[in-house]
Amino acid sequence: MRRPDAVLYQDAFLDRLSSGLESLLSEWGLGPGTEVELLTVSENATFIARDPARANPVILRVHRPDYHTVSEIESELAWISALRLSGAVETPALVPLVSGGHLASFEDGEDTRHVVGFEFMEGHEPDADAGLVPGFRLLGAISARLHGQVESWTPPAGFARKTWDFASAFGPEPLWGDWRAALGLTAEGKALLEQVCTKLERRLAAYGKGADRFGLVHADLRLANLLAREDGLGVIDFDDCGFSWFIYDFAAAISFHELNPIVPELQAAWLEGYRSVRPLGAEHEAMIPDFVMFRRLLLTAWIASHSETETAAEAGHAAYTDGTLEIARAYLEAAE
């Protein structure tokens, strides 16, 4: 579980990361005139490095401590490389170190910060409006190609990524914190979400983890991790990739927009795109509400344990919990 450490998002912390990065720039062959600018910070901190001597900038991702091991980070990079080789998805290439390999690091107090470099990819985050429907058709096809690549790919020895299932999300040591700490959650709301957990656990156990439904997934295909371009749709940030149900990728795609009236259209478009690449039976489609609920409850826990972040503020803090309860009521009322 992530350390409760609100100071991670203060200016002094970000200045420290910038300084650490500047000490590593030569590892990627970036010159002394390189300018480093923060792009985003949520769990990891992502910077853009512009070297006047290079045609394109380099994206540098500084990993948070106490989350992924070196083996897990290297496994993510191995999958990205395999995906690019297969042509399954448009995603930025890794920028190797001058000395070889892809992982650099610097010391930050008692922590070691691991850093990975990626090529810059043009594009912008899609807007959450009706114009998103064609994009979700593309995203469905991309998701299907990702899942197809997984079924035919043999990971390298030592491949390790986290598992996103009921136990890891809502068990005794949840990866993103305990939803029971959700902001503004009342006793009545807690009782409602306990019922949700009971139903979720039962339905996920019945659905099972067969090879036709469970495997390596991106696990965070939300709008912030998509790059809309004239020639298609790019996918970035495989940091949360891991083993879960394939349909979970759709639930992640509508993160923070579950109550948007266009979601049924987005779902229909995603399914159409998916089925244009590989089959998806009614049994799997019927589980979509379960995975939407699963993801929403998981994000409710994340926001509670990351209340100091910009993402939590944009979600509305306690208002996000209220939305979760609205979704939960509909989920419990739905016929099985």
Side-chain angles (χ1 to χ4, degrees):
M1 187 187 304
R2 172 189 175 274
R3 298 180 306 179
D5 192 0
V7 300
L8 291 184
Y9 300 90
Q10 294 178 357
D11 289 344
F13 164 73
L14 297 175
D15 289 343
R16 210 165 64 237
L17 291 192
S18 295
S19 297
L21 266 186
E22 288 168 2
S23 71
L24 292 179
L25 293 179
S26 61
E27 296 268 11
W28 291 277
L30 295 167
T34 299
E35 294 184 356
V36 175
E37 178 186 354
L38 178 69
L39 285 180
T40 61
V41 58
S42 180
E43 292 262 28
N44 301 326
T46 304
F47 295 80
I48 185 167
R50 297 183 176 89
D51 183 347
R54 295 174 71 117
N56 297 307
V58 175
I59 303 300
L60 299 173
R61 183 180 68 191
V62 182
H63 283 259
R64 58 200 180 276
D66 303 329
Y67 188 53
H68 289 313
T69 65
V70 169
S71 293
E72 288 173 334
I73 298 171
E74 291 177 340
S75 296
E76 174 205 350
L77 304 184
W79 190 35
I80 290 173
S81 297
L83 286 169
R84 284 181 51 81
L85 186 63
S86 73
V89 64
E90 292 288 331
T91 192
L94 302 170
V95 177
L97 304 178
V98 173
S99 59
H102 295 95
L103 197 62
S105 61
F106 63 89
E107 298 304 314
D108 176 30
E110 297 180 356
D111 295 316
T112 298
R113 301 279 177 175
H114 300 298
V115 187
V116 178
F118 297 91
E119 290 184 354
F120 176 80
M121 178 180 278
E122 295 284 353
H124 62 87
E125 179 180 337
D127 295 324
D129 56 25
L132 190 57
V133 173
F136 259 65
R137 197 170 292 112
L138 287 175
L139 184 59
I142 290 168
S143 300
R145 290 198 297 270
L146 286 171
H147 302 160
Q149 186 273 346
V150 165
E151 288 190 338
S152 62
W153 180 56
T154 301
F159 188 90
R161 292 298 298 177
K162 289 178 168 55
T163 296
W164 298 101
D165 60 10
F166 187 87
S168 66
F170 310 122
E173 296 184 7
L175 287 172
W176 279 359
D178 191 346
W179 60 262
R180 295 165 185 83
L183 305 175
L185 185 63
T186 64
E188 180 183 0
K190 179 181 176 183
L192 181 72
L193 295 183
E194 292 287 6
Q195 293 179 54
V196 164
C197 278
T198 298
K199 180 177 178 179
L200 267 180
E201 186 172 21
R202 172 171 48 81
R203 286 189 50 84
L204 293 177
Y207 183 57
K209 296 180 178 179
D212 65 334
R213 62 198 65 192
F214 194 95
L216 187 59
V217 299
H218 183 283
D220 199 19
L221 286 173
R222 60 194 176 98
L223 299 188
N225 292 330
L226 304 177
L227 292 176
R229 300 172 296 153
E230 289 186 4
D231 61 345
L233 190 66
V235 176
I236 60 173
D237 195 358
F238 283 72
D239 182 56
D240 285 319
C241 73
F243 297 96
S244 191
W245 293 274
F246 292 139
I247 295 297
Y248 178 65
D249 268 344
F250 170 77
I254 60 168
S255 295
F256 303 107
H257 300 285
E258 303 91 340
L259 292 168
N260 191 317
I262 68 168
V263 165
E265 293 180 70
L266 298 180
Q267 178 176 319
W270 189 89
L271 289 169
E272 180 185 346
Y274 196 99
R275 287 175 172 142
S276 72
V277 174
R278 67 189 245 131
L280 185 71
E283 175 191 10
H284 308 299
E285 181 179 345
M287 291 296 295
I288 288 178
D290 299 279
F291 290 113
V292 170
M293 187 73 254
F294 179 100
R295 173 70 171 185
R296 180 73 185 209
L297 194 56
L298 185 61
L299 283 175
T300 302
W302 188 91
I303 286 172
S305 61
H306 295 72
S307 60
E308 72 282 4
T309 65
E310 182 178 346
T311 302
E314 291 175 350
H317 293 118
Y320 189 81
T321 302
D322 293 338
T324 299
L325 295 174
E326 181 179 345
I327 295 169
R329 292 185 188 97
Y331 175 70
L332 291 172
E333 291 170 1
E336 294 189 38

